[in-house]
Amino acid sequence: MAAAAAESRLSRGIITHREILAARLNASGNLSVPRSGTHIARPLSRAQSSPLVTLSTGPQEQPHPVNKKGATTGLAYDSLMQKHQCICGDNTQHPEHGGRLQAVWGRLQDTGLAQRCHRLRPRKATLEEIQSCHSEAHTLLFGTNPLTRQSLDMSKLSELPIKSFVRLQCGGIGVDSDTTWNELHTASAARMAAGCVIELAYKVATGELRNGYALVRPPGHHAEHQTAMGFCFFNSVAIAARQLQQKLNLDKIFILDWDVHHGNGTQSMFYEDPHILYMSLHRYDDGSFFPGTGAPQEVGEGDGYGFNVNIAWSGSLNPPMGDTEYLAAFRTIVMPIAKDFNPDIVL
């Protein structure tokens, strides 16, 4: 019953998104999308999940080694990113803090997954790489610290929408009421996060790795061309996508964003780009849930029309959203469109 209800709630949006994509792809002469109703989804059931990953000791298919260590999955991480924290020192007042990385990294080690991956050599994104998605002024303000800022032309910062940092209730400093700023460490952490994602994306795109996971913070999908917000300073995934386009000439990139919030920054950067398919599953509540963007009607513009897909949950979690709803969305919307798009890489 729950599965049927989930598919029923999605059905009205499936035709719109798929037909838009079909129209665009058919017009380009590259791909075609089957008529609505030809995709048959498997029966849905509540997924069985566990808070702890258990590695099977039974016979397993041997992976195809693609590097000297034999690992096919890359892992990008650096403890430097934990140093980005509010100067108040009280993480209980900040939901986005270094403990998030510590918890995930600890679980990867406890389960043995970290040891089975190929550890990448982490690096910071260059200012030039960051500027492929962000303005020069934004890059200078959030990508430098007092030790490196002296040699830069800071007069460029006058064009930014932010004119000053704010004092938080906890006594710390922020870009806004919840995006903390640490003058000594935030810039380095944000550049390291972007650099890890870029490096991992390169290795997967060139075939050195089959896939990978970047354990990074601060996050990025709310960061716009010259606006930091929602804990985000640099849009790491967007920057990686642009680098793959510019350096490796990748033609089709699929960005799947299933954070609970809509990735307003990522959407805005590729809204007119037909070579990047952006899909987001997020809580929307008719625009009342942060950041307020991501309506189903936001489907791209110009050449990018049809290459922006928003699966926007509304209803204030009444009834709650769970595995069934997400499985329905993936099986009836995400995967059919992704297969029709046939991307060179998925971020």
Side-chain angles (χ1 to χ4, degrees), residues 87-101:
I87 60 175
C88 76
D90 184 4
N91 286 340
T92 63
Q93 300 192 46
H94 303 285
E96 203 295 297
H97 59 79
R100 303 171 73 225
L101 291 196

PDB file of all heavy atoms in Angstrom, residues 87-101:
ATOM      1  N   ILE A  87      34.867  29.740  16.004  1.00  0.00           N
ATOM      2  CA  ILE A  87      35.859  30.111  17.010  1.00  0.00           C
ATOM      3  C   ILE A  87      35.292  30.052  18.425  1.00  0.00           C
ATOM      4  O   ILE A  87      36.045  30.113  19.388  1.00  0.00           O
ATOM      5  CB  ILE A  87      36.423  31.522  16.743  1.00  0.00           C
ATOM      6  CG1 ILE A  87      35.302  32.566  16.770  1.00  0.00           C
ATOM      7  CG2 ILE A  87      37.161  31.560  15.413  1.00  0.00           C
ATOM      8  CD1 ILE A  87      35.813  33.998  16.639  1.00  0.00           C
ATOM      9  N   CYS A  88      33.955  29.861  18.545  1.00  0.00           N
ATOM     10  CA  CYS A  88      33.375  29.724  19.880  1.00  0.00           C
ATOM     11  C   CYS A  88      33.774  28.401  20.519  1.00  0.00           C
ATOM     12  O   CYS A  88      33.743  28.266  21.753  1.00  0.00           O
ATOM     13  CB  CYS A  88      31.850  29.853  19.832  1.00  0.00           C
ATOM     14  SG  CYS A  88      30.997  28.374  19.181  1.00  0.00           S
ATOM     15  N   GLY A  89      34.139  27.417  19.693  1.00  0.00           N
ATOM     16  CA  GLY A  89      34.595  26.136  20.199  1.00  0.00           C
ATOM     17  C   GLY A  89      33.509  25.204  20.691  1.00  0.00           C
ATOM     18  O   GLY A  89      33.799  24.126  21.218  1.00  0.00           O
ATOM     19  N   ASP A  90      32.246  25.587  20.538  1.00  0.00           N
ATOM     20  CA  ASP A  90      31.126  24.772  21.027  1.00  0.00           C
ATOM     21  C   ASP A  90      30.368  24.182  19.850  1.00  0.00           C
ATOM     22  O   ASP A  90      29.499  24.829  19.262  1.00  0.00           O
ATOM     23  CB  ASP A  90      30.204  25.628  21.889  1.00  0.00           C
ATOM     24  CG  ASP A  90      29.065  24.820  22.504  1.00  0.00           C
ATOM     25  OD1 ASP A  90      29.048  23.582  22.323  1.00  0.00           O
ATOM     26  OD2 ASP A  90      28.188  25.428  23.153  1.00  0.00           O
ATOM     27  N   ASN A  91      30.673  22.947  19.506  1.00  0.00           N
ATOM     28  CA  ASN A  91      30.040  22.311  18.353  1.00  0.00           C
ATOM     29  C   ASN A  91      28.561  22.018  18.554  1.00  0.00           C
ATOM     30  O   ASN A  91      27.829  21.815  17.585  1.00  0.00           O
ATOM     31  CB  ASN A  91      30.766  21.008  18.011  1.00  0.00           C
ATOM     32  CG  ASN A  91      32.116  21.252  17.357  1.00  0.00           C
ATOM     33  OD1 ASN A  91      32.371  22.333  16.832  1.00  0.00           O
ATOM     34  ND2 ASN A  91      32.977  20.247  17.393  1.00  0.00           N
ATOM     35  N   THR A  92      28.108  21.999  19.803  1.00  0.00           N
ATOM     36  CA  THR A  92      26.697  21.682  20.056  1.00  0.00           C
ATOM     37  C   THR A  92      25.775  22.741  19.476  1.00  0.00           C
ATOM     38  O   THR A  92      24.591  22.478  19.262  1.00  0.00           O
ATOM     39  CB  THR A  92      26.431  21.539  21.563  1.00  0.00           C
ATOM     40  OG1 THR A  92      26.699  22.798  22.215  1.00  0.00           O
ATOM     41  CG2 THR A  92      27.313  20.455  22.164  1.00  0.00           C
ATOM     42  N   GLN A  93      26.297  23.926  19.212  1.00  0.00           N
ATOM     43  CA  GLN A  93      25.479  24.995  18.650  1.00  0.00           C
ATOM     44  C   GLN A  93      25.553  25.053  17.123  1.00  0.00           C
ATOM     45  O   GLN A  93      24.930  25.915  16.520  1.00  0.00           O
ATOM     46  CB  GLN A  93      25.911  26.350  19.234  1.00  0.00           C
ATOM     47  CG  GLN A  93      25.775  26.429  20.748  1.00  0.00           C
ATOM     48  CD  GLN A  93      25.933  27.848  21.260  1.00  0.00           C
ATOM     49  OE1 GLN A  93      25.345  28.782  20.712  1.00  0.00           O
ATOM     50  NE2 GLN A  93      26.708  28.018  22.326  1.00  0.00           N
ATOM     51  N   HIS A  94      26.335  24.153  16.534  1.00  0.00           N
ATOM     52  CA  HIS A  94      26.530  24.185  15.083  1.00  0.00           C
ATOM     53  C   HIS A  94      26.342  22.784  14.499  1.00  0.00           C
ATOM     54  O   HIS A  94      27.167  21.903  14.736  1.00  0.00           O
ATOM     55  CB  HIS A  94      27.929  24.716  14.756  1.00  0.00           C
ATOM     56  CG  HIS A  94      28.203  26.066  15.322  1.00  0.00           C
ATOM     57  ND1 HIS A  94      27.662  27.222  14.792  1.00  0.00           N
ATOM     58  CD2 HIS A  94      28.924  26.451  16.412  1.00  0.00           C
ATOM     59  CE1 HIS A  94      28.063  28.258  15.517  1.00  0.00           C
ATOM     60  NE2 HIS A  94      28.817  27.817  16.505  1.00  0.00           N
ATOM     61  N   PRO A  95      25.265  22.556  13.751  1.00  0.00           N
ATOM     62  CA  PRO A  95      25.001  21.217  13.202  1.00  0.00           C
ATOM     63  C   PRO A  95      26.050  20.760  12.191  1.00  0.00           C
ATOM     64  O   PRO A  95      26.257  19.558  12.014  1.00  0.00           O
ATOM     65  CB  PRO A  95      23.619  21.363  12.550  1.00  0.00           C
ATOM     66  CG  PRO A  95      23.478  22.827  12.288  1.00  0.00           C
ATOM     67  CD  PRO A  95      24.200  23.513  13.406  1.00  0.00           C
ATOM     68  N   GLU A  96      26.723  21.692  11.519  1.00  0.00           N
ATOM     69  CA  GLU A  96      27.764  21.326  10.556  1.00  0.00           C
ATOM     70  C   GLU A  96      29.114  21.577  11.229  1.00  0.00           C
ATOM     71  O   GLU A  96      29.564  22.707  11.338  1.00  0.00           O
ATOM     72  CB  GLU A  96      27.623  22.172   9.278  1.00  0.00           C
ATOM     73  CG  GLU A  96      28.241  21.540   8.034  1.00  0.00           C
ATOM     74  CD  GLU A  96      29.743  21.391   8.114  1.00  0.00           C
ATOM     75  OE1 GLU A  96      30.446  22.425   8.201  1.00  0.00           O
ATOM     76  OE2 GLU A  96      30.232  20.245   8.106  1.00  0.00           O
ATOM     77  N   HIS A  97      29.780  20.497  11.670  1.00  0.00           N
ATOM     78  CA  HIS A  97      31.065  20.645  12.354  1.00  0.00           C
ATOM     79  C   HIS A  97      31.934  19.430  12.072  1.00  0.00           C
ATOM     80  O   HIS A  97      31.509  18.455  11.434  1.00  0.00           O
ATOM     81  CB  HIS A  97      30.864  20.828  13.855  1.00  0.00           C
ATOM     82  CG  HIS A  97      30.132  19.709  14.525  1.00  0.00           C
ATOM     83  ND1 HIS A  97      30.725  18.519  14.871  1.00  0.00           N
ATOM     84  CD2 HIS A  97      28.827  19.591  14.885  1.00  0.00           C
ATOM     85  CE1 HIS A  97      29.845  17.715  15.426  1.00  0.00           C
ATOM     86  NE2 HIS A  97      28.668  18.333  15.449  1.00  0.00           N
ATOM     87  N   GLY A  98      33.172  19.471  12.525  1.00  0.00           N
ATOM     88  CA  GLY A  98      34.140  18.429  12.219  1.00  0.00           C
ATOM     89  C   GLY A  98      33.773  17.047  12.702  1.00  0.00           C
ATOM     90  O   GLY A  98      34.281  16.042  12.182  1.00  0.00           O
ATOM     91  N   GLY A  99      32.911  16.960  13.700  1.00  0.00           N
ATOM     92  CA  GLY A  99      32.498  15.661  14.207  1.00  0.00           C
ATOM     93  C   GLY A  99      31.814  14.810  13.157  1.00  0.00           C
ATOM     94  O   GLY A  99      31.809  13.579  13.254  1.00  0.00           O
ATOM     95  N   ARG A 100      31.237  15.445  12.166  1.00  0.00           N
ATOM     96  CA  ARG A 100      30.585  14.699  11.082  1.00  0.00           C
ATOM     97  C   ARG A 100      31.612  13.866  10.325  1.00  0.00           C
ATOM     98  O   ARG A 100      31.394  12.690  10.026  1.00  0.00           O
ATOM     99  CB  ARG A 100      29.871  15.658  10.134  1.00  0.00           C
ATOM    100  CG  ARG A 100      28.836  16.553  10.820  1.00  0.00           C
ATOM    101  CD  ARG A 100      28.312  17.624   9.885  1.00  0.00           C
ATOM    102  NE  ARG A 100      27.427  17.057   8.883  1.00  0.00           N
ATOM    103  CZ  ARG A 100      27.472  17.352   7.585  1.00  0.00           C
ATOM    104  NH1 ARG A 100      28.378  18.181   7.136  1.00  0.00           N
ATOM    105  NH2 ARG A 100      26.622  16.817   6.750  1.00  0.00           N
ATOM    106  N   LEU A 101      32.762  14.479  10.005  1.00  0.00           N
ATOM    107  CA  LEU A 101      33.815  13.732   9.312  1.00  0.00           C
ATOM    108  C   LEU A 101      34.386  12.645  10.201  1.00  0.00           C
ATOM    109  O   LEU A 101      34.657  11.524   9.756  1.00  0.00           O
ATOM    110  CB  LEU A 101      34.938  14.674   8.861  1.00  0.00           C
ATOM    111  CG  LEU A 101      34.643  15.672   7.746  1.00  0.00           C
ATOM    112  CD1 LEU A 101      35.946  16.221   7.196  1.00  0.00           C
ATOM    113  CD2 LEU A 101      33.833  15.052   6.630  1.00  0.00           C
TER     114      LEU A 101
END
